[in-house]
């Protein structure tokens, strides 16, 4: 019987891995850890989730593009209006270097806002009605 497959994790290439690790560490409320080198950082997410941030090889170009894949961070609204929770969340995330790509908006499932992290990668903040 083949060995069990470990849980998947996300990998994010970065020009400044440490800066991006600090940003995502604050967003995930976890401490970034140095990985295999000074240009590699690890963040443990909830459960078995993990984010690896690294500087790619300088021997090959790193393509940039918007693509269709983005990181999504979510939290429940609880007893508060989702849009209010989202706006409060944005007041902590934007000073960390994020940029608003699309303004916060109310949706049937809650509230959402599209951002760019400090290096321009797309991410979604989602506050659910639940």
């Amino acid at each position: 019987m083949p060995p069990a497959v470990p849980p998947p994790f996300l990998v994010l290439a970065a020009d400044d891995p440490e800066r991006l690790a600090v940003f995502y560490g604050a967003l995930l409320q976890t401490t970034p850890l140095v990985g295999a080198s000074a240009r590699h950082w690890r963040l443990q997410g909830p459960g078995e989730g993990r984010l690896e941030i690294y500087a790619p090889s300088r021997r090959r170009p790193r393509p940039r593009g918007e693509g269709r894949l983005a990181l999504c961070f979510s939290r429940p609204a609880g007893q508060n209006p989702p849009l209010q929770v989202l706006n409060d969340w944005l007041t902590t995330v934007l000073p960390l270097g994020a940029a608003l790509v699309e303004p916060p908006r109310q949706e049937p499932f809650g509230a959402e806002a599209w951002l760019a992290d400090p290096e321009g990668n797309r991410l979604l903040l989602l506050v659910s009605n639940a």
Side-chain angles (χ1 to χ4, degrees), residues 16-17 25 28 37 40-41 55 67 101-102 109 123 125:
D16 186 345
L28 289 167
S37 73
H40 174 218
W41 291 79
V101 174
E102 293 181 19
F109 51 79
L123 64 114
L125 295 186

Side-chain angles (χ1 to χ4, degrees), residues 49-99:
R50 192 169 91 221
L51 177 60
E52 304 274 339
I53 301 174
Y54 74 101
S57 169
R58 296 189 192 281
R59 286 180 263 170
R60 68 178 183 138
R62 180 174 58 122
R64 290 189 180 258
E66 187 173 298
R68 294 184 179 201
L69 182 65
L71 296 173
C72 177
F73 297 89
S74 69
R75 58 175 57 162
Q79 299 301 316
N80 299 311
L83 201 52
Q84 175 190 338
V85 174
L86 179 59
N87 282 318
D88 291 345
W89 197 3
L90 287 170
T91 63
T92 63
V93 174
L94 294 175
L96 297 171

Side-chain angles (χ1 to χ4, degrees), residues 66 94 98-104 113-117 120-123:
E66 187 173 298
L94 294 175
L100 204 55
V101 174
E102 293 181 19
W114 283 93
L115 307 170
D117 72 15
N121 301 299
R122 290 173 44 95
L123 64 114

Side-chain angles (χ1 to χ4, degrees), residues 74-78 85 126-130:
S74 69
R75 58 175 57 162
V85 174
L126 172 65
V127 177
S128 64
N129 288 325

